[in-house]
Amino acid sequence: MATKDFNYEEFAQNLAAQAQELVPQDFNDVQKQYVINTLGNFAMLSGQTLAQDPNLNFNAEQSITITQIIAEWSFHKSVDVIRSGIPQQYWDPIMQQIAYTIFEIAKQTFSQGLPHDKILELIEHHVKKKYAEAITELKNKGAIDEGLMEYAMSQSNMDRMAQEMQQQQEHGGMPIGADGSLPPLPTAPTIPTEMPKVDSKVLKLATVAMLFKKLNQDKVQTILNKFDPQDAEAVIKYMRMPDLIDRVGGANALRALQEIKTTLPRNTQITPHKVILKLKKFGSKYSSKELDTILIRERMGVKRLVFNAIEGKFYDKMAPRVASIVATHLTDSV
């Protein structure tokens, strides 16, 4: 029977309100709102189904737990999707697959009466599997290249979160409050003793090395040629560390990127003229027939953006920031 005493609307709103305090500070307003809306929408939909579907037989506590699990994973995986660099038009399809997977696995495991830690373990396994499948599917249909696929795959703080959950369970279980309290984001480990004096510069160079490991090595070498020789040598050394990501930690890397961002030139305004120049340069490398082949899987708006730019015109039905993202995607994926 349906769960009559589960106020899913209020619960979902509470979760979304709390998420506002947890969204990464380096996200822009659009990205922050996407995370909050995604969490809120999936929590609302799952809560409504649990509360109203007569074929389900969960009590209020179980419904709260399932909805919170969906909200937590929606939060973290939407953050991962944004940080992955995958074009925004693919975010929703990925997140919808993940949310559906969580809901189905949660229904099955709760109905079977499995232990709470086993439920969390199974859900984590299937979320990671579905996320990897969705990213691989994008690569297979030509929406992203192999480098971006690998980088997207690496975007996960769930291993650390699982460790925290395990510690909580060992001390009495993960608390699921009636107010829908979200647990805090896990704290990333700092760089260990192999990098003894972790000053700001070392952290920045290590973070740059993390990014460079995902780039084409010819591009990396071109960039390193502009570095101070000692700094370039340090970056190369860090790139050779197989566990560099774990040593630096996500929180440290984000802090370093924020510091780097503040030192960059402020002339970062995206204008139609800049997009046109970028796409003109891109288009100049190919014939019209080759461009048709490259753009065969792209939407009509993307094709018009490219061909208009080649003629020196801007496709004004697309916002400059979105057009810039498209231009970068095309440049990097070919």
Side-chain angles (χ1 to χ4, degrees):
M1 61 179 181
T3 306
K4 299 297 183 182
D5 52 348
F6 175 35
N7 189 339
Y8 65 88
E9 291 186 3
E10 181 179 348
F11 188 68
Q13 290 168 3
N14 285 340
L15 291 172
Q18 291 172 57
Q20 296 182 34
E21 303 300 322
L22 299 174
V23 179
Q25 294 302 306
D26 61 306
F27 279 14
N28 60 38
D29 291 342
V30 173
Q31 293 168 332
K32 289 179 180 178
Q33 201 58 51
Y34 180 81
V35 174
I36 295 166
N37 289 346
T38 299
L39 179 153
N41 289 340
F42 287 149
M44 182 74 73
L45 288 172
S46 61
Q48 183 179 29
T49 302
L50 291 164
Q52 298 180 358
D53 190 339
N55 297 318
L56 298 177
N57 191 28
F58 298 124
N59 58 35
E61 182 179 356
Q62 290 172 321
S63 297
I64 286 172
T65 303
I66 293 172
T67 303
Q68 181 168 350
I69 291 172
I70 289 174
E72 290 171 359
W73 277 103
S74 297
F75 176 88
H76 288 291
K77 295 314 293 181
S78 61
V79 169
D80 290 341
V81 167
I82 291 172
R83 285 180 175 155
S84 72
I86 291 173
Q88 188 170 353
Q89 70 252 36
Y90 303 116
W91 294 356
D92 281 347
I94 293 173
M95 292 307 304
Q96 287 164 6
Q97 292 181 58
I98 289 172
Y100 177 79
T101 297
I102 299 169
F103 191 71
E104 290 302 309
I105 298 300
K107 282 196 307 181
Q108 295 174 25
T109 53
F110 273 86
S111 295
Q112 295 168 9
L114 296 182
H116 189 67
D117 57 346
K118 185 64 176 178
I119 291 174
L120 294 177
E121 180 184 337
L122 285 170
I123 290 175
E124 178 181 359
H125 168 77
H126 285 281
V127 167
K128 289 182 176 180
K129 180 181 177 182
K130 181 55 64 176
Y131 178 72
E133 289 174 352
I135 302 300
T136 303
E137 183 181 351
L138 290 177
K139 161 64 171 58
N140 290 341
K141 70 179 187 180
I144 60 176
D145 60 19
E146 186 170 355
L148 186 55
M149 179 188 72
E150 292 178 357
Y151 184 70
M153 295 283 197
S154 73
Q155 299 302 313
S156 175
N157 62 5
M158 289 298 101
D159 289 338
R160 297 188 188 98
M161 188 183 80
Q163 291 173 4
E164 283 199 351
M165 285 184 176
Q166 185 63 41
Q167 292 171 359
Q168 290 173 340
Q169 290 158 12
E170 290 171 356
H171 293 83
M174 185 180 70
I176 305 292
D179 62 347
S181 299
L182 281 168
L185 290 171
T187 303
T190 55
I191 302 174
T193 54
E194 284 78 0
M195 297 171 123
K197 295 181 180 178
V198 187
D199 58 19
S200 178
K201 184 175 182 179
V202 170
L203 188 57
K204 289 176 185 175
L205 292 175
T207 302
V208 168
M210 286 173 56
L211 300 177
F212 281 3
K213 288 180 77 170
K214 304 299 180 182
L215 294 179
N216 178 284
Q217 293 308 298
D218 291 337
K219 291 183 179 180
V220 169
Q221 190 57 56
T222 300
I223 299 172
L224 284 176
N225 288 339
K226 301 177 183 179
F227 276 47
D228 175 88
Q230 290 185 344
D231 291 345
E233 184 179 349
V235 170
I236 293 172
K237 181 182 71 174
Y238 297 146
M239 288 176 67
R240 290 172 180 164
M241 292 182 178
D243 55 348
L244 178 64
I245 294 177
D246 292 332
R247 294 188 180 194
V248 174
N252 286 330
L254 288 176
R255 187 174 74 249
L257 288 173
Q258 188 62 34
E259 291 180 9
I260 293 172
K261 182 180 177 181
T262 60
T263 63
L264 293 175
R266 291 297 179 181
N267 185 22
T268 58
Q269 183 180 5
I270 297 173
T271 64
H273 179 65
K274 290 181 179 179
V275 176
I276 289 173
L277 291 178
K278 191 169 188 176
L279 288 173
K280 263 191 171 183
K281 184 177 179 181
F282 165 76
S284 65
K285 301 176 183 178
Y286 309 99
S287 66
S288 296
K289 186 173 293 186
E290 288 172 332
L291 279 175
D292 286 335
T293 301
I294 292 170
L295 299 173
I296 193 169
R297 291 191 179 94
E298 300 293 343
R299 294 170 299 163
M300 183 57 66
V302 172
K303 295 177 181 178
R304 289 177 178 172
L305 174 70
V306 173
F307 288 113
N308 280 11
I310 292 174
E311 296 176 0
K313 303 173 185 178
F314 183 72
Y315 182 57
D316 56 10
K317 291 187 178 181
M318 188 177 294
R321 181 170 295 277
V322 176
S324 178
I325 294 172
V326 171
T328 300
H329 163 65
L330 292 173
T331 302
D332 293 343
S333 61
V334 177

